[in-house]
Amino acid sequence: MKYKMLVLDMDDTLLKNDHTVSSKNREMLKKAQEKGVHIILASGRPTPAMTQYATDLNLGESYIISYNGAVITNLKENQIIFEQMLTKEQIHELYDYSVQRKTAIITYVDGAVVSESSSQYIDIELNITGMPFNKVANFKETVNSPAVKCILLEDPDYLKTLEKDLKETMPHLSVSMSKPFFLEVAQHGIDKAASIKILAEKLGVLQSEIIAVGNAGNDLTMIEYAGLGVWVDNVTPELRDKGNVIVASNNDDGVAEVIERFILNQE
């Protein structure tokens, strides 16, 4: 099989734990591009927290999928080609749920992370994204228009118990775990696989010609959708048997292994 598209989750997949890209991964990404493979970054990150990586990896002619699939951006034209948001009413409904279930909640307004709370988990998101933090007195008053997604944040053991409950309580929304302490919520039907399908059709790439690489629950749809679904070795344990292949961890050049095995050595 000749693969034409390589879709990469970022945190804990392409990126090492220190949020950098290894020299080996860089080298292999360059070689994959030279073979004409579309390299697509697909992350729960906001768009601004992805673009510098794309530029640094010379992906400026490509596309990125951000906010867990809610936005697709054409980097060359600096143009959003797809966007699907939560309504204000849905965000307020999620806020009420978070208050009832005693979790923090964040969303994104005017390029900033917005919350009524402060927590170690919000600090992690701020560190990952590099975005400013707007701590507000009244979440509902501040968030009075649609936004791309919300995240509920709390201790991993507690948050895991809420994942099933939230899916049952709000089946009209898309719910997934991106990290053990991040429960992500987007518009119904929005996930990484849905946006990969849109992009693949635009680029004339068949489903069977796609490799997707990830590590967490918010990657599951794209792992199952792709012609070859690959987990890095640090995958969330309960997901290990839900892909086609497991490669080295994010800290041990797993993405480079994928490229060497399935792109450079396949014709």
Side-chain angles (χ1 to χ4, degrees):
M1 171 58 66
K2 186 173 183 180
Y3 294 104
K4 297 180 180 178
M5 181 185 288
L6 175 62
V7 185
L8 302 172
D9 171 55
M10 291 181 62
D11 294 286
D12 305 311
T13 300
L14 172 63
L15 305 183
K16 297 191 297 181
N17 290 353
D18 64 2
H19 301 154
T20 64
V21 181
S22 72
S23 58
K24 183 70 170 177
N25 280 348
R26 288 175 181 276
E27 176 190 350
M28 291 298 108
L29 284 169
K30 184 173 184 291
K31 289 184 177 181
Q33 287 187 85
E34 289 170 351
K35 287 182 72 74
V37 175
H38 298 284
I39 309 295
I40 309 296
L41 301 181
S43 176
R45 284 175 175 244
T47 309
M50 298 177 66
T51 51
Q52 185 55 50
Y53 284 97
T55 300
D56 185 48
L57 294 169
N58 295 312
L59 303 179
E61 302 287 311
S62 190
Y63 299 79
I64 57 174
I65 296 170
S66 54
Y67 295 106
N68 273 331
V71 179
I72 305 174
T73 303
N74 178 331
L75 291 173
K76 184 178 181 180
E77 307 294 336
N78 191 28
Q79 180 180 22
I80 293 172
I81 64 168
F82 173 82
E83 183 175 56
Q84 184 69 268
M85 293 190 169
L86 293 167
T87 66
K88 178 188 75 172
E89 291 75 21
Q90 288 169 332
I91 295 168
H92 290 185
E93 180 184 20
L94 282 164
Y95 171 80
D96 292 339
Y97 179 92
S98 76
V99 171
Q100 183 183 26
R101 299 302 198 278
K102 297 181 171 58
T103 75
I105 184 172
I106 65 172
T107 192
Y108 307 85
V109 177
D110 295 332
V113 176
V114 174
S115 182
E116 284 182 0
S117 309
S118 295
S119 81
Q120 60 179 312
Y121 304 116
I122 293 176
D123 288 345
I124 292 171
E125 174 69 359
L126 297 175
N127 181 53
I128 288 172
T129 64
M131 297 175 77
F133 182 38
N134 183 14
K135 186 177 180 182
V136 298
N138 190 306
F139 185 88
K140 286 184 175 180
E141 285 185 5
T142 302
V143 185
N144 54 21
S145 60
V148 282
K149 72 170 185 178
C150 291
I151 306 180
L152 276 62
L153 312 92
E154 195 39 75
D155 174 78
D157 290 339
Y158 177 61
L159 202 61
K160 185 63 180 174
T161 67
L162 287 189
E163 182 180 14
K164 181 180 178 183
D165 180 72
L166 181 55
K167 288 178 177 179
E168 292 174 349
T169 304
M170 300 186 188
H172 52 291
L173 299 178
S174 177
V175 178
S176 64
M177 283 276 197
S178 61
K179 286 183 178 288
F181 36 78
F182 288 171
L183 186 57
E184 309 227 3
V185 188
Q187 188 57 265
H188 181 71
I190 292 298
D191 55 41
K192 292 185 180 183
S195 290
I196 290 168
K197 182 179 181 183
I198 291 169
L199 193 50
E201 289 175 354
K202 178 179 179 63
L203 296 174
V205 175
L206 301 176
Q207 183 177 353
S208 60
E209 297 171 330
I210 300 169
I211 302 176
V213 190
N215 77 289
N218 65 322
D219 301 316
L220 180 60
T221 60
M222 74 173 186
I223 296 299
E224 293 181 330
Y225 175 78
L228 183 70
V230 182
W231 294 120
V232 287
D233 193 48
N234 51 293
V235 57
T236 304
E238 59 264 31
L239 301 177
R240 288 187 75 87
D241 63 347
K242 298 186 182 297
N244 303 118
V245 179
I246 295 177
V247 295
S249 75
N250 66 310
N251 287 323
D252 295 311
D253 306 320
V255 167
E257 181 184 338
V258 173
I259 294 170
E260 287 184 297
R261 288 175 60 183
F262 302 107
I263 294 175
L264 302 184
N265 292 325
Q266 303 290 318
E267 295 296 338

